[in-house]
Every structure is written in structure tokens, then in C-alpha cells.
Amino acid sequence: MKSFDKVAITKINISASELVKSSLAQMVYLMYNDDKRVVTDRQLQSVEYQKEFKFEYEEMIGCYKPSLFYLNFSIDGIDNNVGYEVKMTNNDAPAWLFKMSVIQSSFYYMLIKHVTYLSTAKFHVKAGNEPQTIYLNNYPIDKFILIYGTKRYEVSMCDELFDFYINKLKYLESCIMLNDLTKSIEMARQWDAQFKKKEIDLFFHKITVKELQQPKKKSLKNVIKLLFNWLNKLCRNE
């Protein structure tokens, strides 16, 4: 069983994805047992699926420290100053999954505004990709899009949602500072009793979600036509 001293606590990294998806009691249990979540086949398939979009930047990591813990988040793709969260889903996916994907996207959009740079995830570099860094003062993210299955949605930020998850993180810190699994779990369950699975009811209606038209793919025929017109124009100018 893991124990936490004051120095160790200040070096803890928390995943923003887990903060959104997991109950507080579950997070506490995993932290005390030093239990790392295993990457699933579904997650590996999602990474491969994301490659189809050919983003300018892929798998970009940010780190925000609002209090004791570091909060790490991953942006699936960035292209032309737009951030992307990609969800590989089908038509049978439950409605709550879409709503939680919107909430996660809105939270990530807010997190981007609280860091100065994003860098390529280590696992993505190990896979043979070039490490990249985006300095957000020079390359601001002006829009955030959720790609959900075959559809795209522009998602707004939400201050109240952001504050909620930062408060959840700080409450997690308070649980861990007890340095006692039983007491920490008991404290975490008090949060869960009040807020577990309540995010949709509390915040979804406060986020602006706009469905976008699908980007048109240029056919080979259209590309050849554009090239032919450009060459004709070039010849006339000469």
C-alpha cells in the first residue's frame, strides 16, 4: 500500500481524462494501490483512427498546476489554430457518451487557455514521430471541435465546468493528504454522493454545441482541374 508524504504529494500527476471519467473514490483507490490503467485495444484503435485526419500536430500534451497536483491533458489533434478531440463511435453509442464527450472537450479547451505551451506526447515520439512544441502566445487555439463518429461539433468553453473539475482535483488532494486509505475513500465518497454522474445535468446545457458541415474532400478529378486552371493562368500571364 502506497503512502504519501508532503514532498511526494507535490510531484503527483493526474490525468484530466481520469478526472472527467472516474469517480473520486476510484481515483483514490488506484492512487493508494499505485495501480496504472492498462491501455486497451480500443484505445490503440482510436490512436490509429486519429491518424486518418492528418492533423498538423498530433497527441499534444499540456500540464497545468492549479494547486498541489499536476494536471496533464492530451489534445488529439491541432490544425490551423483549432483543437480537436476525436471519439471513435458508431450509431449505437448511448446519448450520455456524446454529452460527456462534449463536457470533456469543453474542459480541455479551457485547460489550453491556462498553459503557455503544448508538446508532443512521449509515447507518440517513441512511435517514431517528430517531437513538436506549440507556444500558445504565437499559435493561439481559437476554436475547439469534437469529432464524434462521422460528425463534427464546435464546442464552447464553460467557466463553471472548469471550476467544477479544478475543485474536484483539489478535493482529491485533500483526500490523499489524509494518508490513510480508509479515511481517504470515505472522504472521496462524500464528493461522489453529491456529484457522481451529475456533470451532464449540471453543465451540458451551459455549453454551446454547434454541428458543423463535413469538410469536403477534394477528388483527384478536382485536383487535376485546379492544377490545369492554374497552369493556364500562368501561361496567360507570361
Side-chain angles (χ1 to χ4, degrees):
M1 187 70 64
K2 193 171 184 177
S3 62
F4 301 92
D5 57 37
K6 291 182 179 179
V7 175
I9 283 177
T10 62
K11 298 180 180 179
I12 290 175
N13 288 274
I14 300 296
S15 160
S17 176
E18 293 301 322
L19 190 67
V20 171
K21 298 175 183 177
S22 301
S23 70
L24 211 58
Q26 183 180 28
M27 294 183 73
V28 167
Y29 176 83
L30 292 175
M31 290 175 70
Y32 270 96
N33 287 277
D34 204 16
D35 191 357
K36 302 290 190 297
R37 287 186 179 272
V38 177
V39 178
T40 65
D41 290 340
R42 176 77 176 180
Q43 288 172 317
L44 293 174
Q45 290 169 9
S46 295
V47 172
E48 289 300 313
Y49 176 68
Q50 290 165 23
K51 292 179 181 179
E52 296 180 13
F53 299 98
K54 302 186 185 304
F55 296 122
E56 184 180 2
Y57 300 93
E58 298 176 338
E59 302 295 343
M60 302 302 288
I61 298 292
C63 184
Y64 175 51
K65 191 175 185 182
S67 186
L68 295 176
F69 293 172
Y70 291 93
L71 184 61
N72 297 321
F73 61 99
S74 177
I75 307 301
D76 292 334
I78 295 174
D79 202 86
N80 291 323
N81 299 90
V82 178
Y84 290 87
E85 174 70 16
V86 180
K87 297 294 184 184
M88 185 178 68
T89 62
N90 53 45
N91 294 332
D92 297 328
W96 66 261
L97 183 59
F98 168 71
K99 293 180 179 180
M100 283 305 300
S101 298
V102 167
I103 284 172
Q104 183 179 0
S105 298
S106 179
F107 183 46
Y108 282 15
Y109 192 11
M110 288 290 293
L111 282 170
I112 289 173
K113 300 300 182 181
H114 286 78
V115 298
T116 57
Y117 70 92
L118 302 170
S119 55
T120 307
K122 291 181 180 179
F123 81 87
H124 201 55
V125 175
K126 288 180 180 178
N129 299 284
E130 287 292 323
Q132 296 175 295
T133 301
I134 300 174
Y135 294 98
L136 296 166
N137 284 339
N138 301 323
Y139 191 108
I141 307 303
D142 301 322
K143 184 186 295 186
F144 203 95
I145 292 176
L146 167 65
I147 299 178
Y148 189 81
T150 59
K151 296 184 177 182
R152 296 180 178 226
Y153 302 88
E154 183 178 347
V155 177
S156 72
M157 292 183 280
C158 177
D159 291 329
E160 292 175 69
L161 172 68
F162 180 78
D163 291 342
F164 171 81
Y165 281 120
I166 297 305
N167 286 334
K168 183 178 179 180
L169 179 69
K170 291 178 179 179
Y171 198 90
L172 175 63
E173 293 172 355
S174 298
C175 294
I176 296 301
M177 285 176 69
L178 294 173
N179 203 20
D180 180 286
L181 176 59
T182 302
K183 292 179 180 178
S184 296
I185 290 285
E186 183 179 343
M187 184 176 179
R189 284 174 175 162
Q190 292 175 16
W191 172 280
D192 290 339
Q194 188 172 358
F195 297 114
K196 183 180 177 180
K197 297 183 179 180
K198 301 284 178 58
E199 295 95 333
I200 291 174
D201 292 338
L202 290 171
F203 302 112
F204 181 75
H205 66 283
K206 297 182 178 182
I207 302 170
T208 302
V209 183
K210 178 183 176 183
E211 185 171 354
L212 305 174
Q213 290 185 344
Q214 292 295 328
K216 293 181 179 179
K217 294 182 179 179
K218 293 183 176 68
S219 66
L220 180 59
K221 183 177 179 181
N222 286 337
V223 171
I224 293 173
K225 184 178 179 181
L226 287 170
L227 181 60
F228 181 75
N229 290 338
W230 178 78
L231 287 171
N232 277 340
K233 193 176 191 180
L234 186 65
C235 291
R236 286 197 299 271
N237 290 336
E238 290 179 351

